[in-house]
Amino acid sequence: MAITAQFCQVSKGFNDGDRFHAVLDRVDLTLHQGQTVALTGPSGSGKSTLLNLMAGFELADQGEILLGGQSTRHWQDARWSAFRRLQLGVVFQQFNLLTPLNVRDNIAFPLQLAGLDWDPWCQHLSDKLGLNELLERSVEQLSGGQQQRVAVARALAHRPLLLLADEPTGNLDQQSGLNVMSLLCELAAEAGSTVLMVTHSSECAAFMHSHWQLKQGQLLELASRDAVEG
Ligand code: ADP
Ligand code: MG
């Protein structure tokens, strides 16, 4: 199976006053195409840092990160931007929707960056996520649960190689959050996207292929079952 992302002995830390605070300590990981992984760990353990490294929002201090089989060691800003635009989908806790735009234009935004427009796949996402009645509405008028569904559709609109989600159910009631996360995994499988999701929910971790935990700079694999090739 093709490898979407790989960390080889990746370390990252931050200066905290005059002290250096190590966050990730020689982390190795491999994400296979179509795999879905739940990432848990105590607050401050480096979950967001790990996602930020994978998206190129932060750079590693040491080690190597490969994306889509390519070393990112010499990637400049333009190459990282191209990766994010064409191959990455993200769902943040605060959803970060584009507030002057309506739901349809938010979902189609990643396609428009690539010179494309709303297509049958977008319509499928809208059908499955129950967004058809909301397409012409401004995203500011939506409830938290509705905004979350728009954020999921937008993250998958361009069928990304990799979808990163950082506590995407944080502010929502548990049952509706879980329903949307299981839909996210189902739709990601249809798109062939690999999913790495930070979550505090063990129910959510249970329907993903693997469960990784970050603790004291180390990544542990708590559970794994075979990824279904998608
Ligand atoms: P988590 O997402 O698991 O709660 P984070 O990855 O956000 O943890 O943070 C891990 C540690 O790194 C924390 O101690 C945090 O304060 C620190 N940290 C994260 N990003 C930065 C940054 N840009 N500058 C300084 N310290 C940071
Ligand atoms: Mg975090």
Side-chain angles (χ1 to χ4, degrees):
M1 214 185 298
I3 293 174
T4 300
Q6 199 162 21
F7 279 26
C8 308
Q9 297 282 295
V10 169
S11 297
K12 178 70 181 174
F14 298 98
N15 287 315
D16 181 6
D18 53 4
R19 282 187 50 225
F20 181 76
H21 172 54
V23 177
L24 302 179
D25 180 17
R26 288 163 289 170
V27 166
D28 288 319
L29 66 83
T30 303
L31 270 174
H32 291 276
Q33 190 180 358
Q35 190 180 5
T36 56
V37 176
L39 177 63
T40 60
S43 177
S45 60
K47 304 179 296 297
S48 297
T49 299
L50 191 151
L51 265 55
N52 286 337
L53 289 169
M54 214 174 267
F57 295 131
E58 301 271 7
L59 295 177
D61 297 332
Q62 281 173 45
E64 182 158 34
I65 296 174
L66 288 91
L67 292 169
Q70 292 181 30
S71 170
T72 62
R73 191 182 290 276
H74 300 295
W75 285 13
Q76 305 291 323
D77 287 353
R79 184 67 187 84
W80 276 111
S81 307
F83 171 75
R84 289 193 285 263
R85 192 171 66 245
L86 300 171
Q87 296 188 290
L88 184 70
V90 286
V91 184
F92 298 105
Q93 184 165 24
Q94 305 302 335
F95 307 137
N96 294 38
L97 298 174
L98 302 159
T99 44
L101 301 182
N102 67 22
V103 170
R104 179 194 300 275
D105 291 339
N106 264 274
I107 297 172
F109 188 73
L111 292 171
Q112 284 164 354
L113 291 179
L116 304 169
D117 207 347
W118 185 271
D119 65 7
W121 170 247
C122 291
Q123 188 54 52
H124 179 62
L125 292 171
S126 174
D127 293 342
K128 294 285 273 195
L129 289 159
L131 294 171
N132 286 334
E133 308 297 308
L134 303 174
L135 291 176
E136 308 312 323
R137 284 241 218 126
S138 161
V139 291
E140 291 157 302
Q141 300 167 1
L142 305 182
S143 72
Q146 290 169 333
Q147 288 187 18
Q148 181 195 37
R149 288 185 276 133
V150 175
V152 168
R154 181 183 62 175
L156 285 165
H158 55 313
R159 300 172 195 256
L161 176 71
L162 175 62
L163 192 153
L164 299 175
D166 200 346
E167 302 188 53
T169 55
N171 298 324
L172 304 175
D173 79 82
Q174 201 182 1
Q175 195 51 49
S176 62
L178 273 180
N179 289 341
V180 178
M181 288 311 108
S182 70
L183 262 176
L184 179 152
C185 289
E186 194 182 307
L187 291 164
E190 288 183 44
S193 305
T194 305
V195 177
L196 179 57
M197 187 193 300
V198 174
T199 177
H200 289 300
S201 154
S202 50
E203 287 96 332
C204 189
F207 62 68
M208 304 183 76
H209 297 128
S210 310
H211 180 181
W212 297 350
Q213 188 184 49
L214 256 183
K215 223 173 172 178
Q216 291 162 341
Q218 305 291 312
L219 190 65
L220 311 170
E221 177 148 342
L222 296 185
S224 186
R225 56 198 167 83
D226 285 346
V228 180
E229 207 144 353

